[in-house]
Amino acid sequence: MRAKRCVRTWLGLLLGMTVTVLGALTPSALARANGPAPPTPAGPPASDTTVTPLARLWPVGLRPSVLRGWDPPTTPYARGHRGVDLVAPPGAPVRSVAAGRVSFAGRVAGRGVVAVELAGTGTPPLRTTFTPVRATVRQGDEVAAGEVLGTLEPGDAHCGTSCLHWGLRRDRTYLNPLSLLPPWLLHRGPSRLLPLTGARRQPSGSPTHLR
């Protein structure tokens, strides 16, 4: 009996010492004792939301009014506005805002759509979309800034009036297409001819002098 009690006593002391030693080890020491941790699998890379203001002009008109601005949804399936609506008359020419390649030109759900992948914007590239547009370009065409892609189709129910819906994406991430416009183009108003007030009328036949 005394021998059994001694064995149990020694086992209890040994277990207590083991727990004490393990409790004193730091996490780094435990990691070294157990060997290197297995590598954590890398998740998919986050979409790049960087937009360089590389546009050289508006896609329609000189400085069109924005009928409805960009209102990104809080979730992929929530309501929102994934682009901007620009006021323009039917038949207005729709132009590429920068150089790129036509990645789509056709009809989706009865509406004409043209998409352009912008050159030099990384991988995956930025892609602009325009609708409703009757395309005059084809998929694969290389286009320059200002090149006409087609004409605005009439009777679109998206705006309730004639407008161009302009979108921007990188992969599956929707971005604000107005961010493509540099400040000098975004805030510049249309050109106007000022009236010649206070100009002196020259007598008939008299020479006009430059000042």
Side-chain angles (χ1 to χ4, degrees):
M1 293 296 293
R2 180 177 298 178
K4 290 183 179 181
R5 284 198 298 270
C6 290
V7 171
R8 285 198 295 269
T9 301
W10 280 107
L11 287 176
L13 291 174
L14 182 61
L15 180 60
M17 291 176 62
T18 303
V19 172
T20 302
V21 171
L22 290 177
L25 289 176
T26 62
S28 59
L30 286 174
R32 289 194 299 269
N34 295 326
T40 303
S47 296
D48 184 6
T49 58
T50 303
V51 177
T52 301
L54 48 77
R56 295 295 175 263
L57 72 168
W58 288 81
V60 67
L62 294 176
R63 176 61 172 89
S65 298
V66 178
L67 187 65
R68 185 180 177 188
W70 185 60
D71 183 21
T74 55
T75 66
Y77 303 102
R79 298 186 63 179
H81 195 231
R82 298 170 173 85
V84 295
D85 295 334
L86 306 178
V87 177
V94 178
R95 300 177 295 266
S96 180
V97 298
R101 183 184 66 86
V102 178
S103 59
F104 180 83
R107 307 196 73 80
V108 177
R111 306 172 74 210
V113 180
V114 176
V116 177
E117 292 182 349
L118 301 182
T121 57
T123 303
L126 291 172
R127 184 176 66 172
T128 57
T129 56
F130 310 94
T131 187
V133 176
R134 187 178 303 277
T136 56
V137 293
R138 296 181 179 181
Q139 183 175 344
D141 287 352
E142 300 288 337
V143 293
E147 187 167 340
V148 175
L149 305 172
T151 56
L152 186 64
E153 293 182 333
D156 185 58
H158 174 76
C159 298
T161 185
S162 181
C163 80
L164 173 72
H165 180 79
W166 179 24
L168 177 66
R169 289 176 57 178
R170 187 188 295 278
D171 197 14
R172 297 182 181 181
T173 302
Y174 288 88
L175 303 168
N176 185 1
L178 295 181
S179 60
L180 285 172
L181 300 174
W184 63 267
L185 186 58
L186 181 62
H187 302 297
R188 186 183 68 180
S191 301
R192 294 184 301 170
L193 291 175
L194 299 178
L196 297 176
T197 58
R200 292 185 300 177
R201 305 184 69 177
Q202 298 291 337
S204 177
S206 64
T208 302
H209 298 281
L210 296 178
R211 298 192 177 187

